[in-house]
Amino acid sequence: MCCEDLICARCAGPVAEARCPSCRSARDSMHHTSFAITPQLLIAIVAVLLMLVLLAAHHG
């Protein structure tokens, strides 16, 4: 969903223009893209790498 199509219920303006604090908050939350490495993701990456190393050692 794009904030350009949304209308703020508080100020009745387009959310993309961020006229009020509610608009700014909604726009920021919609465009907030952060990539965080969680412990579960880190464990999965290490497990996959370990399996690839063991597979390479077994065939090589």
Side-chain angles (χ1 to χ4, degrees):
M1 179 179 282
C2 181
C3 66
E4 294 173 0
D5 300 327
L6 299 177
I7 302 297
C8 179
R10 185 173 182 188
C11 69
V15 172
E17 292 180 7
R19 294 181 185 173
C20 71
S22 296
C23 293
R24 284 189 288 276
S25 176
R27 184 185 64 181
D28 292 344
S29 68
M30 292 182 82
H31 292 283
H32 181 68
T33 57
S34 67
F35 180 75
I37 296 181
T38 62
Q40 293 86 0
L41 180 60
L42 187 60
I43 290 170
I45 291 171
V46 169
V48 168
L49 289 175
L50 181 61
M51 289 176 64
L52 288 173
V53 167
L54 290 174
L55 186 61
H58 180 68
H59 285 294

